[in-house]
Amino acid sequence: MKALLLSRFLLLLPWVLVVVIVLDIDSSRAPPPAPGPRGGGGGGSGAGGGGGSRPAAERASPPRRPEAALPTIYAITPTYSRPVQKAELTRLANTLRQVARLHWILVEDAATRSELVSRFVAGAGLPCTHLHVPTPRRYKRPGLPRATEQRNAGLAWLRQRHQHLPAPQPGVLFFADDDNTYSLELFHEMRTTRKVSVWPVGLVGGRRYERPVVENGKVVGWYTGWRADRPFAIDMAGFAVSLQVILSHPKAVFKRRGSQPGMQESDFLKQITTVEELEPKANNCTKVLVWHTRTEKVNLANEPKYHLDTVNIEV
């Protein structure tokens, strides 16, 4: 009996050894288990732990540096009542609405705010200050400078707004007449103005364009169709001024007495800068980004010939 059991044991022994060897090989090939979170007593990575980095998915991303605030562009626009006023303002507002950090200062040539402009401003969809000041009757004669009182009212508001602020935010002033057409690129160019920047203006002075002549990054003359002897032979739409310059020259305004037609720009700029200090923009003043388009004079000859509409529609 014992001999029979021994013989069967010896017969099964090789197979048992084979199974043991295979199991040992499989266990050695298995990947090690992922380490779990370390406990408190073993120097974990918790608040009281020591080493050990957190998995990439759990690491807190470094805080992003906040972008520097863009300088605010203050656009002063004189306007007056006429058949195309709302059309002009609509076109201009559609442009200004696309410009970041812009404050529109709209100044009516009127003794009171008109209902038309007030309603327009309420629905313009951009930051806007609505002012009004009438032009004295004696200055409304043909050949005299226009919009003087309105531009000065915008300057006064701007200075009063920043009068009591300890450190005014960076800003740029631009005179945006409502009968011009503006490229959005122009506002990008003027935003870096340090003191006074300049650029070309299209369809002005009886020529396709006027521009400052630039050599080696400096303005050395003027390409113009009218009075090249002006100290600053430039259109009102052809320059921007740093807010700091406006605030540091509180008496710089557009003058009535002694100012000749077409000389308002020069009379103003002489108070705050020199030609040598001008900063050429628009690829050294070789790109036109603003046009003095002016809306065609409206023909309303048939208005008095026919009965008026029973509905009062604002145009």
Side-chain angles (χ1 to χ4, degrees):
M1 187 67 178
K2 292 182 178 179
L4 179 60
L5 292 176
L6 180 61
S7 63
R8 290 183 177 181
F9 175 77
L10 293 176
L11 182 63
L12 294 175
L13 182 60
W15 296 103
V16 174
L17 293 176
V18 169
V19 172
V20 172
I21 293 172
V22 170
L23 292 175
D24 183 67
I25 292 175
D26 289 342
S27 62
S28 65
R29 290 180 178 177
R38 299 185 180 182
S45 58
S53 59
R54 300 173 62 186
E58 297 180 9
R59 292 175 191 162
S61 57
R64 295 182 179 180
R65 296 180 59 187
E67 295 182 3
L70 292 173
T72 300
I73 295 176
Y74 295 93
I76 295 180
T77 300
T79 188
Y80 64 98
S81 178
R82 61 203 192 275
V84 299
Q85 182 182 28
K86 187 176 180 180
E88 301 275 36
L89 293 177
T90 298
R91 179 178 58 182
L92 179 54
N94 287 342
T95 298
L96 300 182
R97 197 180 297 116
Q98 302 179 64
V99 181
R101 292 188 64 83
L102 182 140
H103 190 107
W104 195 13
I105 306 172
L106 186 58
V107 191
E108 281 195 79
D109 184 353
T112 59
R113 296 184 180 90
S114 69
E115 293 185 6
L116 184 149
V117 177
S118 296
R119 282 193 295 266
F120 177 83
V121 168
L126 72 160
C128 182
T129 296
H130 182 192
L131 307 175
H132 65 92
V133 59
T135 299
R137 185 182 300 273
R138 64 182 181 276
Y139 293 133
K140 290 191 174 184
R141 299 193 307 270
L144 293 181
R146 296 180 298 176
T148 300
E149 287 73 23
Q150 290 72 42
R151 294 189 181 102
N152 285 341
L155 288 169
W157 178 89
L158 192 59
R159 287 169 174 140
Q160 184 177 6
R161 172 186 174 92
H162 292 276
Q163 182 178 7
H164 303 294
L165 297 180
Q169 295 296 319
V172 179
L173 170 66
F174 173 56
F175 296 101
D177 289 354
D178 62 4
D179 58 353
N180 293 341
T181 302
Y182 304 92
S183 166
L184 293 178
E185 186 179 351
L186 177 64
F187 300 94
H188 174 74
E189 291 279 329
M190 74 173 69
R191 208 182 289 272
T192 57
T193 300
R194 296 187 302 274
K195 189 169 184 181
V196 179
S197 58
V198 293
W199 51 79
V201 178
L203 309 177
V204 68
R207 308 200 65 170
R208 291 173 56 241
Y209 61 86
E210 292 183 338
R211 74 179 186 95
V213 178
V214 179
E215 293 181 1
N216 299 319
K218 295 291 184 180
V219 175
V220 297
W222 310 95
Y223 178 86
T224 180
W226 184 78
R227 289 202 58 177
D229 62 329
R230 288 175 288 164
F232 296 87
I234 194 171
D235 186 77
M236 193 69 69
F239 66 92
V241 185
S242 164
L243 175 61
Q244 293 292 347
V245 172
I246 294 297
L247 299 180
S248 61
H249 294 79
K251 295 183 179 180
V253 295
F254 291 92
K255 299 179 179 179
R256 274 293 186 188
R257 294 183 180 180
S259 181
Q260 302 175 14
M263 296 294 292
Q264 278 195 310
E265 297 87 350
S266 291
D267 290 343
F268 178 73
L269 291 173
K270 284 191 301 184
Q271 303 173 66
I272 60 177
T273 190
T274 64
V275 173
E276 292 76 19
E277 293 178 317
L278 296 177
E279 306 158 36
K281 299 292 185 181
N283 195 21
N284 273 333
C285 295
T286 60
K287 292 178 64 177
V288 175
L289 301 175
V290 54
W291 298 262
H292 203 176
T293 44
R294 298 185 181 183
T295 301
E296 180 182 6
K297 187 176 181 180
V298 178
N299 180 7
L300 299 177
N302 287 330
E303 278 291 295
K305 297 180 182 179
Y306 298 91
H307 295 294
L308 295 179
D309 196 349
T310 57
V311 180
N312 184 18
I313 297 178
E314 183 179 276
V315 179

